[in-house]
Amino acid sequence: MDSKEKEAGILQALAVRLESQRLPRALAMKKRVDNGETLNELDIQFLKDVFDDAQRIMPIVERHPEWQSLVANLIGLYQEITSKALENEEHQKGKA
């Protein structure tokens, strides 16, 4: 298997994982934080895993510009989730 085939396989596996696991979980988290909730330890570990994976795949994404818009949108989604969760946490601490 050459490197192009290997990268194509990796991208396909990432797309399947994104569709079946990562995006549904991220959207559920966004809904919760939009409703004023904070992130739990499992959510935080999930985000750490996502960011670790993102760092590992960035060289591949850089070689495939057709994926860059999707990755940018996902980064934006995770940024919205973390920002809103932090805001919610600060708001809850202010009530205490």
Side-chain angles (χ1 to χ4, degrees):
M1 178 184 308
D2 69 9
S3 64
K4 282 189 173 192
E5 289 173 333
K6 185 177 179 181
E7 280 190 6
I10 291 169
L11 290 170
Q12 182 178 1
L14 291 171
V16 168
R17 183 169 59 182
L18 174 65
E19 182 180 9
S20 66
Q21 298 172 11
R22 296 268 169 102
L23 188 57
R25 179 132 185 223
L27 293 174
M29 288 169 55
K30 178 147 179 16
K31 184 176 181 179
R32 288 192 354 253
V33 298
D34 285 347
N35 288 329
E37 295 181 38
T38 59
L39 300 177
N40 61 41
E41 288 300 317
L42 290 175
D43 295 330
I44 293 167
Q45 185 59 52
F46 170 78
L47 290 171
K48 286 179 183 178
D49 293 344
V50 166
F51 292 129
D52 288 345
D53 287 350
Q55 287 182 329
R56 283 194 297 274
I57 67 158
M58 284 312 282
I60 295 173
V61 171
E62 288 173 1
R63 291 190 295 273
H64 293 271
E66 68 273 18
W67 285 83
Q68 291 173 4
S69 177
L70 174 62
V71 170
N73 287 335
L74 290 169
I75 290 169
L77 174 62
Y78 291 122
Q79 174 64 37
E80 287 178 43
I81 291 167
T82 55
S83 294
K84 186 65 176 172
L86 181 59
E87 181 182 310
N88 293 346
E89 196 167 308
E90 289 172 351
H91 182 72
Q92 286 182 6
K93 284 181 183 177
K95 287 183 174 181

